[in-house]
Amino acid sequence: MATAINNVVKIIYLNKNNASFYKTGDFIGMRFTNESGEQTDFGRVYLHRLFPYTELWTNISVMNKDSEEYGLIASIDDFDGESAELIKNELSIKYFIPKIKSILMLKEKFGFSSWKVNTDVGVVTFTVRDTYRSMIKIGESRIYVLDNDGNRYEIEDYNKLDKKSYKKIELYI
Amino acid sequence: MKTNSSICDKAKSLLSEKGVRESDILSFAYIDLDDREIYCDGYLVLTKDKLVRIFGQEYKEYLVSDIDKIDIEELISCCRVWIETKGRGELLSYLSFSAKNDVFKVAHTFEKLKNNEEPDADFPEEAYCPKCGMRYADIERKFCPICMDRGKIVMRMSGFFLKYKFKMLMILIMLVLMSALAVIAPYISSGFYYDQVLSKDGSFYGMIVYVLSLIIALRVFRLLVNVVNDIVSTRISAQIVNDIKKTIFKAIERLSVSFFTSRSTGGLMNQVNSDSNRIYWFFVDGLPVIIINSVQFLTVFIIMMFINPLLTVLSLLMVPLVALLIGKLFRHSQKLHFRRYSKERSMNGLLSDLLTGIRVVKTFSREKNESKRFDKASSNLARESRRVSNFASTAFPMVNQLVYIGVIVVWGVGGFMIIDGSFGLTYGMLLTFIAYIGMIYDPLYAFVNMMQSASESFSAMSRLFEIMDALPEVKESPNPVRKSVFDGKVTFKDVKFSYVKNRRILDGISFDIEPGGAIGIVGHTGVGKSTIANLLMRLYDVEEGEILIDGVNIKDYAFEDLHRNIAIVSQETYLFCGTILENIKYACPEATQEQVMQAAKAAGAHDFIIKLPDAYETKVGFGYKELSGGEKQRVSIARALLRDPKILILDEATAAMDTQTERQIQDTLDKLAKTRTTITIAHRLSTLRNADYLIVIKDKKMPEFGTPAELIKKKGIYYTLYMLQLEALKNAGIAED
């Protein structure tokens, strides 16, 4: 069955042989050479992780501003030099999520909880509605906290938090 | 997350150093992430000729004349703000979602400035809590959970209970009475009985039967009070819970569709069901229990001090330790309960998922795997339930042992006092005293026990106010234009709309439909075809531009008139639990059986209905007869036709039917269409073959408009779609008209 699908559906895989990324202003652009050797400059492109929770550097879709896909990067290892650097940089910007290092305060009142946390990019305070549902567990010990405004914060491994921080979130895990 | 409502002094002085006067500022925004995505205190400031970016002491300015646009791009957990200058994008800053509204305002002011227009006065402003400076968790309600006073919430909620004041007072009186009887009982049955009845010096010496009768009478009286209290409580609880449920449902029902799309149905159902019980609990069980236990604690304490102050102090020595221990154990028990609850929720979710999708499970032969998944979830729940029971059966009895140490001490010291004859302590008094020790610990258990429930009640009250205070986004005009029957002329004038800010779905849509006209809307999935129908029905309001019916803006019509004259049949049909007849009559309850049958015939529903054993009285909906997609659509069309609307919207209304049935219904609808305006949205172009005009929607715009023949001649988007479908039909051996 899988072979049959393979024959009818074609995924365009991008690699250093058929695509190159370049800087356009503060963004990234892509040039693509098709099988017949014609080169197209797509201008600014947008990257999107297809498995954002489990795969960081594989299966990345490259699309235009209307989310129409130009092709797929199977692995970042298929690129090197400036292209690889630009892809990595663009993905880390797009998927920027502050990582919580310690929880300085967590108080629950009226169904909202107020947090003050120390992250890898500084101290921040935020409010969470329905704390239990807003803490999304990924895998064994990773947690995403979703605040009232839609911002995400990541606890990479709750077992590695200091005891005081852990105690504050223990009830919701 | 904190955002500032005014520019801080440091930034102000930096601006003034650079020659930017406060009076020159047209708009500004706080930005909380710098250009390396690190938290900072920064600002974007717009004057009539400059755009300034400040990060701490770092200052950078751009000339407004050089900038083509300011764009805010939403990433996964932050926004990227950039400017376009001479076709080149330049990063200005990043910012969290919490800070984006003000930046949108700067971008909006900039756009208006560039077009020499005045910025919109009603651009939504952010609101900050004046007390703590934090942005309100809920802007519409101006609700700050940090500064919100519990007392205020209880006061506001108690207003709701005012109408039950007499019944609640009755419950309170009975609770006080029960508490007083509980306090008197040990005195009569222990101290009084030994010292006054059995002792030779007692005033009631030998009057055993008399005193026993008194004890029995007291018991019976207490029992009666208890029974009456239970009857009154049960009666008023049902009444109050019912009232709260009605209030919550009414508050929810008046809100606009956008409110429902942003919240889960399960969450709202839970809110109606559980929150009403939680609120009731606080006022009818919780609050009186606090009062009664406080009174009991104080009364018992005073009596104990009166009997023997030294023994009182000795017996209370354990109170702080016990209180501390109970608090700690309770927190742990709460954690265990919470875990059990979460496992229960997972198991129930899985069960509901599996039963609903049982056909898929069976088709793919996944029974064994699903059994394993269920076993795991069930075992998890069993394990957590075991933990809860183990803890309950060991921890709290251990605390009781601690209380018992206090009792032993009192027995010992009291015994010596009686033998010694000091402090005038008698055996009866000692017995009374020991009975009271238990009663002084009871309130401690009660207080700790109710802490969690009280906090849940406060959350429930807060959620209720959240809904009660939420304003419907689509509001009826205070002085609406009344028109019972529309002519049916529909005009869209440069309509712009987006569900999510900055993600426009329709941009500048304009068209006219004359009364009785038929228009078809064509376009790919997700281009906004159904949005046009939603806007016409006023499920949402347009962002810019206007929609007119018979020359009057739809915002000016009364909801009642608007909804009576427009009916929509959408692809996602919903039939309520009830008979087919009730479902067809839903929008027109006064219709006769004959009218219902006529509507069903016109909708092509009559033919399948008569084949059902119970015909029009067949029960449909959850747990009853399951109709196919096409059958449901036909019932929905009948429901809409019965209303006899002046404007009929068919949004993929016949998509689930075979071509022959669709054609039959189309023919009937065409006949009916002569007296009404019809808007048809469809992918299948054959559905639109009788439309007077067609609108093609693509990339938020309306690139094509005209009669089907004109559009085919034009050889544009419609032509391409038409040829594709024609080819598909030819390949399948079916010729199109």
Side-chain angles (χ1 to χ4, degrees), chain A residues 26 129 132 148-149 151-152, chain B residues 77 91 135 137 342 345 466:
Chain A
D26 279 318
R129 184 196 289 258
Y132 183 77
N148 209 15
D149 295 312
N151 299 300
R152 295 184 196 184
Chain B
S77 185
L91 175 75
R135 240 174 77 248
S342 101
R345 196 152 73 167
E466 183 186 344

Side-chain angles (χ1 to χ4, degrees), chain B residues 426-486:
Chain B
T426 62
Y427 179 58
M429 275 180 183
L430 183 63
L431 279 183
T432 313
F433 200 90
I434 283 165
Y436 282 135
I437 293 179
M439 290 180 77
I440 209 145
Y441 282 96
D442 286 347
L444 287 182
Y445 281 106
F447 288 143
V448 178
N449 210 356
M450 64 180 298
M451 260 158 43
Q452 174 64 18
S453 311
S455 131
E456 276 171 11
S457 299
F458 287 129
S459 301
M461 285 180 224
S462 156
R463 278 194 291 269
L464 171 59
F465 293 140
E466 183 186 344
I467 289 185
M468 283 170 83
D469 296 345
L471 297 170
E473 280 182 21
V474 178
K475 291 178 203 106
E476 189 170 24
S477 155
N479 301 304
V481 175
R482 300 303 309 243
K483 188 172 184 180
S484 54
V485 183
F486 289 175

Side-chain angles (χ1 to χ4, degrees), chain B residues 82-302:
Chain B
W82 54 280
I83 48 170
E84 201 174 285
T85 47
K86 292 164 194 149
R88 193 173 173 275
E90 186 180 337
L91 175 75
L92 262 188
S93 162
Y94 294 97
L95 48 102
S96 78
F97 289 144
S98 317
K100 70 179 177 184
N101 189 62
D102 286 344
V103 179
F104 272 117
K105 194 177 173 191
V106 171
H108 169 80
T109 316
F110 171 83
E111 201 186 313
K112 294 287 176 185
L113 180 70
K114 281 293 236 189
N115 297 332
N116 289 323
E117 290 170 20
E118 279 296 308
D120 290 349
D122 57 351
F123 194 91
E125 291 278 352
E126 286 289 21
Y128 304 89
C129 170
K131 227 173 172 181
C132 66
M134 295 276 282
R135 240 174 77 248
Y136 283 120
D138 192 324
I139 292 168
E140 278 183 4
R141 259 174 80 198
K142 299 207 170 13
F143 175 74
C144 173
I146 300 171
C147 303
M148 187 70 185
D149 184 6
R150 282 195 171 138
K152 266 189 195 164
I153 286 213
V154 173
M155 280 305 287
R156 185 172 168 193
M157 199 69 230
S158 53
F160 185 83
F161 287 83
L162 269 182
K163 54 180 163 177
Y164 306 105
K165 53 181 182 277
F166 292 116
K167 283 178 182 157
M168 286 183 65
L169 192 71
M170 212 166 132
I171 292 181
L172 196 67
I173 291 171
M174 274 182 287
L175 285 173
V176 172
L177 210 59
M178 275 158 63
S179 176
L181 289 170
V183 174
I184 294 171
Y187 178 72
I188 306 226
S189 56
S190 314
F192 182 78
Y193 192 66
Y194 282 101
D195 294 343
Q196 305 296 333
V197 182
L198 300 182
S199 164
K200 277 184 182 167
D201 309 328
S203 337
F204 295 88
Y205 178 64
M207 298 167 76
I208 293 177
V209 177
Y210 175 75
V211 175
L212 279 182
S213 310
L214 184 70
I215 291 173
I216 292 168
L218 269 175
R219 280 234 157 224
V220 172
F221 182 58
R222 200 175 157 194
L223 183 76
L224 280 175
V225 174
N226 217 338
V227 169
V228 175
N229 179 49
D230 278 354
I231 293 171
V232 176
S233 300
T234 319
R235 192 173 290 176
I236 100 157
S237 79
Q239 208 175 349
I240 295 181
V241 170
N242 181 31
D243 263 15
I244 302 174
K245 272 186 191 167
K246 281 198 276 187
T247 310
I248 302 177
F249 185 72
K250 243 188 194 164
I252 292 178
E253 207 186 24
R254 76 194 161 91
L255 294 170
S256 307
V257 176
S258 53
F259 175 86
F260 297 93
T261 45
S262 62
R263 280 165 175 81
S264 78
T265 315
L268 289 173
M269 274 169 70
N270 196 34
Q271 202 155 346
V272 177
N273 285 323
S274 315
D275 282 4
S276 44
N277 281 316
R278 288 192 186 115
I279 295 170
Y280 160 81
W281 174 89
F282 181 77
F283 284 93
V284 182
D285 286 339
L287 205 58
V289 167
I290 295 175
I291 299 168
I292 301 301
N293 277 290
S294 309
V295 172
Q296 183 173 321
F297 186 88
L298 278 173
T299 325
V300 171
F301 178 74
I302 292 165

